[in-house]
């Protein structure tokens, strides 16, 4: 077991690379250490065991806070809630484990030793993890670099997965440089040091790319963070108190646009009187009110954001739902689990794809709700003509954990990928204004009632990623794969 200690330590240390710790510069060195110890494993059995140990600690240390939603709000005792999260981590661990095994097999059996091999394989399995069985791209390794200015151009071109590929490549090069040093090769003679420096120069050049320009006018807006206790929110006796709370907070601002959080009004839309909503517009400054509420339509429930003006009302229904949170997949085991897991409003249906942004006043908005901002595709259909990204979230399910911090980091990634400023309204944190380069301009404190009032320019234009999405990373992966194959083929021929 002592031999597995490095994998325990490396896997556990990755939590420091993500928010709220954000030691992003440590990430490539941890990758290099991982490669070093994997290469020391002499057979596939040891590679599997070591990789699985690393992967389990990578996930469990970083997302064990998920048990809070099960134990504190779902009615499951602490032991079983932690057991469920442990099983989830076992499943997630299969992807990096598989990538390291495939890497080792291809390298040893096919005798391919390219610096592109591990980045290629790792990224493929990250894409699979973010896609299969509804997908869960949380803790994709590229997210660690949202604060690294060198990576902003990479994200705008190929998104978070291209960031993952480049980051693993950086780790491989550091590992190769370390081997050169260990073998007493002068560093100035190391080809991998030269490649590393060239790679850094390329990243620096890409980071200077810009694909958008600012709008001619600013939006005047307020984000209202209501900090409603999750234990009280869905108790019908508290509904009038919550409605009154948001009304009073809204009347404290002179903004033209007001953004309330996901399910800010904890009752069905058809039970919210129009006379109540009309009172908001007694505030002469207000032109548009964005609020969240569940909606019942055509026999189904939807998690919806409504956009109310004095003239009309528009809406966005959540598309990408949280399994076991927004809905329960249908099979006998899940049906049994849904009987003991008592999360309120967990029977939503997915809304239809929106193919253009919402024109609200002088600006166009691409809208996402909560969990949707950990994926790129819910925004992809709206984004190209949009001036802003709006995200409405309720992370109160995660209590006083680092979950909302990690969630914020993924929201920042979306702002960088699409080069659009993001306005993020949450119940109890972390409400934020993020500019088009991923810089946090204003941020609310956790677990407080706050109003963020601001003015901001939007952007006009499209990044390569907003136009092509993941097609570019698929093309890059295919190109790398073909290159590695033919390099091996011609070396064997010779």
């Amino acid at each position: 077991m002592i031999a597995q200690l490095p994998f325990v330590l490396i896997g556990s240390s990755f939590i420091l690379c993500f928010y709220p710790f954000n030691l992003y510069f440590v990430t490539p060195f941890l990758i290099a250490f991982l490669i070093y110890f994997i290469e020391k494993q002499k057979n596939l059995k040891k590679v599997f065991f070591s990789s699985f140990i690393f992967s389990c600690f990578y996930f469990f240390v970083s997302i064990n806070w998920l048990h809070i939603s099960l134990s504190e709000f779902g009615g499951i005792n602490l032991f079983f809630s932690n057991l469920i999260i442990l099983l989830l981590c076992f499943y997630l661990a299969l992807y990096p484990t598989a990538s390291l095994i495939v890497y080792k097999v291809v390298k040893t059996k096919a005798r391919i030793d390219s610096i592109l091999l591990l980045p290629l394989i790792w990224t493929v399995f990250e894409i699979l993890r973010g896609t299969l069985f509804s997908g869960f791209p949380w803790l994709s390794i590229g997210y660690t670099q949202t604060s690294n200015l060198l990576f902003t151009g990479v994200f705008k071109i190929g998104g978070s997965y291209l960031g993952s590929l480049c980051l693993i490549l950086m780790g491989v090069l550091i590992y190769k440089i370390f081997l050169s040093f260990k073998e007493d090769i002068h560093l100035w003679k190391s080809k991998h040091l030269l490649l590393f420096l060239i790679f850094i120069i390329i990243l620096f050049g890409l980071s200077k790319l810009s694909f958008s320009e600012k709008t001619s006018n600013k939006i005047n807006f307020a984000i209202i963070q209501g900090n409603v206790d999750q234990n009280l929110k869905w108790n019908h006796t508290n509904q009038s108190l919550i409605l009154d709370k948001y009304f009073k907070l809204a009347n404290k601002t002179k903004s033209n646009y007001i953004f309330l959080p996901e399910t800010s009004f904890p009752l069905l839309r058809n039970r919210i009187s129009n006379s109540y909503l009309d009172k908001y517009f007694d505030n002469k400054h207000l032109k548009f009110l964005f609020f969240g509420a569940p909606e019942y339509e055509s026999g189904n429930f939807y998690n919806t954001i409504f956009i109310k003006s004095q003239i009309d009302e528009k809406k966005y229904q959540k598309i990408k739902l949280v399994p076991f949170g927004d809905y329960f997949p249908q099979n006998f085991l899940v049906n049994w689990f849904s009987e003991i897991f008592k999360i309120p409003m967990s029977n939503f249906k997915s809304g239809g794809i929106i193919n253009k942004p919402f024109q609200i006043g002088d600006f166009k908005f691409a809208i996402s709700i909560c969990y949707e901002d950990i994926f790129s595709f819910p925004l992809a259909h709206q984004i190209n003509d949009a001036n802003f990204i709006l995200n409405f979230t309720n992370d109160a399910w995660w209590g006083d954990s680092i979950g909302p911090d990690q969630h914020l980091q993924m929201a920042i990634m979306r702002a960088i990928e699409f080069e659009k400023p993001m306005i993020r309204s949450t119940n109890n944190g972390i409400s934020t204004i993020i500019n088009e380069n991923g810089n946090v301009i204003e941020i609310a404190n956790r677990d407080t009632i706050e109003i963020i009032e601001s003015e901001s320019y939007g952007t006009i234009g499209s990044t390569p990623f907003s136009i092509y999405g993941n097609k570019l990373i698929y093309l890059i992966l295919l190109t790398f794969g073909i290159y590695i194959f033919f390099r091996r083929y011609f070396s064997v021929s010779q």
Side-chain angles (χ1 to χ4, degrees):
M1 290 304 294
I2 294 177
Q4 303 307 318
L5 185 59
F7 298 98
V8 172
L9 294 176
I10 294 169
S12 301
S13 297
F14 267 96
I15 188 176
L16 301 174
C17 304
F18 294 93
Y19 274 25
F21 310 103
N22 200 28
L23 301 180
Y24 61 86
F25 49 87
V26 174
T27 316
F29 295 97
L30 288 176
I31 295 167
F33 284 133
L34 174 63
I35 298 169
Y36 173 78
F37 286 105
I38 284 293
E39 293 290 2
K40 293 179 72 174
Q41 307 307 303
K42 300 303 182 183
N43 56 60
L44 286 181
K45 183 179 178 180
K46 289 183 177 180
V47 171
F48 168 78
F49 188 64
S50 301
S51 301
F52 192 68
I53 290 291
F54 154 76
S55 303
C56 286
F57 277 88
Y58 178 96
F59 286 108
F60 188 75
V61 170
S62 295
I63 63 169
N64 64 79
W65 48 263
L66 279 170
H67 79 85
I68 295 171
S69 62
L70 303 178
S71 58
E72 293 191 15
F73 304 110
I76 299 177
N77 69 50
L78 191 60
F79 172 79
F80 282 106
S81 60
N82 276 289
L83 178 60
I84 290 167
I85 301 307
L86 184 61
L87 293 174
L88 171 64
C89 291
F90 285 168
Y91 162 71
L92 296 174
L94 295 176
Y95 292 93
T97 299
S99 68
L100 291 168
I101 291 173
V102 172
Y103 160 72
K104 195 70 173 175
V105 168
V106 173
K107 183 181 178 182
T108 55
K109 303 296 183 182
R111 296 182 181 179
I112 296 174
D113 188 18
S114 169
I115 59 172
L116 299 174
L117 184 61
L118 182 58
L120 173 72
I121 296 170
W122 184 285
T123 307
V124 168
F125 279 96
E126 273 211 346
I127 292 171
L128 291 175
R129 177 164 67 87
T131 306
L132 297 180
F133 309 113
S134 184
F136 191 70
W138 206 283
L139 297 182
S140 287
I141 205 164
Y143 283 115
T144 61
Q145 303 304 301
T146 53
S147 297
N148 188 346
L149 297 179
L150 284 177
F151 276 74
T152 55
V154 168
F155 296 141
K156 293 175 185 179
I157 293 170
S160 62
Y161 290 129
L162 182 57
S164 294
L165 187 146
C166 291
L167 187 57
I168 298 295
L169 177 57
M170 188 178 287
V172 170
L173 289 172
I174 291 173
Y175 163 71
K176 293 289 188 179
I177 293 168
F178 170 74
L179 286 187
S180 299
F181 180 77
K182 189 178 179 182
E183 295 168 3
D184 289 330
I185 298 173
H186 293 296
L187 286 181
W188 61 271
K189 291 183 178 180
S190 170
K191 68 175 182 180
H192 294 108
L193 177 60
L194 177 61
L195 288 173
F196 182 81
L197 294 175
I198 292 171
F199 185 50
I200 295 297
I201 292 170
I202 291 172
L203 291 179
F204 179 77
L206 292 176
S207 72
K208 300 300 179 183
L209 293 176
S210 178
F211 301 93
S212 65
E213 58 185 32
K214 293 186 181 298
T215 54
S216 58
N217 53 340
K218 292 183 177 181
I219 184 176
N220 175 276
F221 66 94
I223 300 170
I224 296 180
Q225 182 173 289
N227 193 34
V228 176
D229 190 323
Q230 195 66 25
N231 285 308
L232 305 176
K233 181 173 182 176
W234 296 105
N235 187 327
H236 72 277
T237 60
N238 297 315
Q239 290 175 352
S240 60
L241 294 174
I242 294 170
L243 293 176
D244 186 56
K245 181 179 190 176
Y246 278 112
F247 179 75
K248 289 178 178 178
L249 289 170
N251 272 290
K252 292 182 179 181
T253 175
K254 296 181 179 180
S255 300
N256 301 143
Y257 293 73
I258 291 179
F259 302 106
L260 306 184
E262 175 191 17
T263 58
S264 42
F265 298 161
L267 66 166
L268 293 174
R269 171 63 186 92
N270 60 9
R271 295 180 183 174
I272 304 170
S273 69
N274 287 324
S275 60
Y276 164 77
L277 293 173
D278 289 339
K279 287 181 181 179
Y280 277 84
F281 295 93
D282 291 343
N283 179 344
K284 300 303 181 184
H285 300 280
L286 179 61
K287 295 181 179 178
F288 301 98
L289 174 68
F290 292 68
F291 65 93
E295 177 188 19
Y296 185 75
E297 181 182 70
S298 303
N300 296 312
F301 291 96
Y302 297 92
N303 188 348
T304 305
I305 295 297
F306 295 92
I307 305 112
K308 176 74 174 173
S309 72
Q310 289 180 299
I311 300 172
D312 63 2
E313 183 174 299
K314 299 178 182 179
K315 65 183 179 182
Y316 169 79
Q317 296 171 330
K318 188 175 183 181
I319 299 168
K320 185 65 176 178
L321 302 178
V322 184
F324 307 100
D326 287 326
Y327 78 103
F328 284 89
Q330 292 300 308
N331 65 56
F332 74 95
L333 184 60
V334 170
N335 290 338
W336 168 81
F337 182 66
S338 67
E339 292 298 317
I340 62 171
F341 187 41
K342 303 300 182 182
I343 288 286
M345 300 306 298
S346 55
N347 56 343
F348 288 120
K349 293 292 183 181
S350 176
I353 296 292
I354 303 296
N355 290 313
K356 61 181 181 179
F358 288 82
Q359 178 77 57
I360 311 296
D362 297 330
F363 302 97
K364 295 179 180 179
F365 300 92
I367 298 177
S368 65
I369 300 176
C370 197
Y371 180 74
E372 289 183 315
D373 68 354
I374 79 169
F375 299 89
S376 299
F377 75 85
L379 288 167
H381 298 278
Q382 309 175 53
I383 200 68
N384 283 325
D385 293 325
N387 307 126
F388 293 91
I389 299 172
L390 301 179
N391 179 252
F392 302 87
T393 290
N394 177 24
D395 284 343
W397 302 105
W398 301 333
D400 186 23
S401 73
I402 62 172
D405 298 278
Q406 293 178 354
H407 194 185
L408 172 61
Q409 188 166 34
M410 286 176 271
I412 291 172
M413 177 65 79
R414 303 289 86 82
I416 300 172
E417 286 175 338
F418 298 122
E419 205 169 301
K420 306 287 183 187
M422 177 181 282
I423 300 168
R424 193 165 187 262
S425 178
T426 73
N427 173 31
N428 70 328
I430 305 171
S431 298
T432 325
I433 302 171
I434 306 163
N435 75 7
E436 63 273 18
N437 293 312
N439 301 314
V440 174
I441 305 303
E442 293 193 52
I443 187 167
N445 293 311
R446 291 275 298 272
D447 301 315
T448 58
I449 299 172
E450 290 201 32
I451 300 174
I452 300 178
E453 292 185 277
S454 186
E455 291 184 341
S456 177
Y457 289 105
T459 58
I460 301 169
S462 300
T463 64
F465 183 74
S466 64
I467 297 171
Y468 301 108
N470 285 325
K471 295 184 181 69
L472 285 176
I473 185 63
Y474 297 155
L475 179 62
I476 291 169
L477 291 173
L478 180 63
T479 303
F480 280 6
I482 292 172
Y483 165 75
I484 291 170
F485 172 79
F486 279 104
R487 181 182 171 185
R488 167 62 182 157
Y489 175 80
F490 285 115
S491 66
V492 170
S493 299
Q494 291 172 359

